Amino acid sequence: MAAIESMIPIKDEAGTLSRSSSHGSNANLELQHDGEGLEYRMQSVDKTVKKPISLWHDVSLVHLDPKTEGPTPYLNFVCEIPKFSRKKYEIATDEVGNPIKQDEKKGTLREFKKGDIFFNYGCLPRTWEDPTFIHPDAEGCRGDNDPLDVCDIGLKVIQPGDVRPVKVLGILCMIDEGEADWKVVVIDAEDAWAPLLNDIDDVAKLLPGTLEAIREWFRTYKIPDGKPPNVFGLDEKFMDKKYAIDIIKECNHAWKELITGEKERELASQDEGVKELVRKLSKSNLLDLAPEEAAPTPMYANDQCDDEAPCF
């Protein structure tokens, strides 16, 4: 019998900063496409007011029921790369509005030379892997300066720019060219397997080989580019849901520091490379952010936390 899913209440995610355009689901969102090739951009737009929104900053971390606007037990997953495809789409974290674009290197659009990816790949909104922070389990490596990566193992192909409710199952610590690059494993809340999968051990038991295949994908996908295999922390183990939630909390807290400018004010002890990374993100993302004049209100009425319902 499937375990009862615990709620994940969350207070106003930016502390003293409140965003009037926050979206808890994809209910009022649509995508606009502009340009071609290197100039192609996919922008999420609020259908009600016809204004662009950031899939990184304007979508809540916790999924809200589109009918009641109340919190659900799920988190929001922003898909960037659909399963069974290879074009390397990503949120443009250093562009105002954070549209989705196809990554490029030296003027060439990037694809996975290894071949099609076999899971939906994207990120958690309102998270940031802080390049000034070294997690004790990350082999002495700093964060990779991006939102927290997500691998959705559900059956459905999710399109780029779609926002889906997902269940967190576990996490893998990948070390990518000297940077910590966590991979959160989730399943779509509406997937047929979702009621049976509540933690990482359920995946290993009911879907044998899935986790090993994910790890080997990330280990080898850069080899066709002439790079060495990636390595992993924590003895290459997938950690459980509780551990994953702790990492998500850390990355949500880091996002708050970035978006409020607090992180940029704390850069004195960092090297110039790290300072430039943070300043570039802060400059682009704070252009369209402004604190509300009124005092912010909690996102949810129930902002009490307990062991079964962690707060972010």
Side-chain angles (χ1 to χ4, degrees):
M1 182 176 179
I4 297 175
E5 297 167 12
S6 59
M7 298 292 286
I8 309 177
I10 179 172
K11 298 181 181 180
D12 179 58
E13 291 171 293
T16 59
L17 183 69
S18 178
R19 295 185 62 99
S20 59
S21 57
S22 180
H23 291 264
S25 72
N26 63 1
N28 292 315
L29 301 179
E30 62 184 6
L31 293 173
Q32 291 184 351
H33 306 266
D34 183 59
E36 296 181 353
L38 292 170
E39 302 304 315
Y40 172 73
R41 297 293 185 272
M42 183 188 309
Q43 183 71 61
S44 189
V45 175
D46 185 323
K47 291 189 293 187
T48 306
V49 295
K50 302 299 181 183
K51 290 184 178 181
I53 67 108
S54 166
L55 288 171
W56 185 14
H57 303 308
D58 293 328
V59 176
S60 64
L61 178 54
V62 168
H63 178 75
L64 302 184
D65 186 307
K67 294 181 179 179
T68 66
E69 297 188 354
T72 72
Y74 313 118
L75 299 188
N76 277 317
F77 160 59
V78 177
C79 187
E80 295 167 301
I81 307 174
K83 65 190 299 184
F84 309 137
S85 70
R86 64 185 68 183
K87 289 184 178 180
K88 196 173 185 302
Y89 288 116
E90 63 181 17
I91 289 178
T93 56
D94 58 354
E95 295 183 18
V96 174
N98 309 120
I100 290 178
K101 66 176 184 178
Q102 189 173 352
D103 191 22
E104 59 90 14
K105 186 174 183 180
K106 297 180 179 180
T108 300
L109 294 172
R110 294 185 63 195
E111 296 184 356
F112 293 125
K113 291 183 180 179
K114 178 181 173 70
D116 292 351
I117 198 166
F118 68 92
F119 44 86
N120 297 304
Y121 191 57
C123 66
L124 292 178
R126 297 186 176 181
T127 62
W128 179 53
E129 294 195 58
D130 182 357
T132 73
F133 176 66
I134 299 176
H135 191 279
D137 292 336
E139 307 291 329
C141 297
R142 302 174 184 271
D144 74 348
N145 200 41
D146 282 325
L148 199 53
D149 291 334
V150 173
C151 308
D152 165 34
I153 62 173
L155 300 175
K156 183 179 179 180
V157 176
I158 308 299
Q159 295 303 313
D162 199 359
V163 179
R164 297 292 305 163
V166 295
K167 295 174 67 173
V168 174
L169 302 173
I171 195 167
L172 177 68
C173 179
M174 187 176 87
I175 307 300
D176 185 358
E177 299 184 29
E179 296 178 333
D181 192 4
W182 298 92
K183 309 297 182 184
V184 182
V185 179
V186 307
I187 190 162
D188 193 289
E190 297 179 1
D191 192 89
W193 281 99
L196 302 175
L197 302 178
N198 296 292
D199 213 319
I200 203 68
D201 288 344
D202 297 329
V203 181
K205 178 181 178 181
L206 298 176
L207 299 174
T210 299
L211 300 178
E212 291 83 357
I214 290 173
R215 185 171 53 227
E216 290 312 302
W217 165 269
F218 286 117
R219 188 195 306 278
T220 62
Y221 82 100
K222 289 189 174 182
I223 292 178
D225 295 311
K227 296 182 179 181
N230 283 317
V231 297
F232 304 90
L234 295 162
D235 297 323
E236 301 196 352
K237 295 178 181 178
F238 283 83
M239 306 305 287
D240 64 12
K241 177 179 179 178
K242 182 179 184 301
Y243 188 101
I245 292 295
D246 287 341
I247 297 296
I248 295 168
K249 287 181 182 180
E250 289 177 358
C251 292
N252 175 245
H253 178 74
W255 171 84
K256 297 174 192 176
E257 292 187 324
L258 172 69
I259 215 65
T260 58
E262 181 179 345
K263 177 56 63 175
E264 187 173 4
R265 293 190 291 269
E266 297 176 349
L267 292 178
S269 62
Q270 301 298 323
D271 61 59
E272 286 303 316
V274 171
K275 288 179 181 178
E276 183 60 27
L277 287 175
V278 176
R279 286 170 181 159
K280 187 176 182 181
L281 284 189
S282 294
K283 181 179 179 181
S284 65
N285 291 315
L286 292 176
L287 284 177
D288 64 343
L289 289 174
E292 299 284 334
E293 292 184 5
T297 56
M299 183 171 292
Y300 307 136
N302 177 17
D303 58 358
Q304 299 300 314
C305 306
D306 55 41
D307 292 339
E308 295 302 318
C311 287
F312 290 89

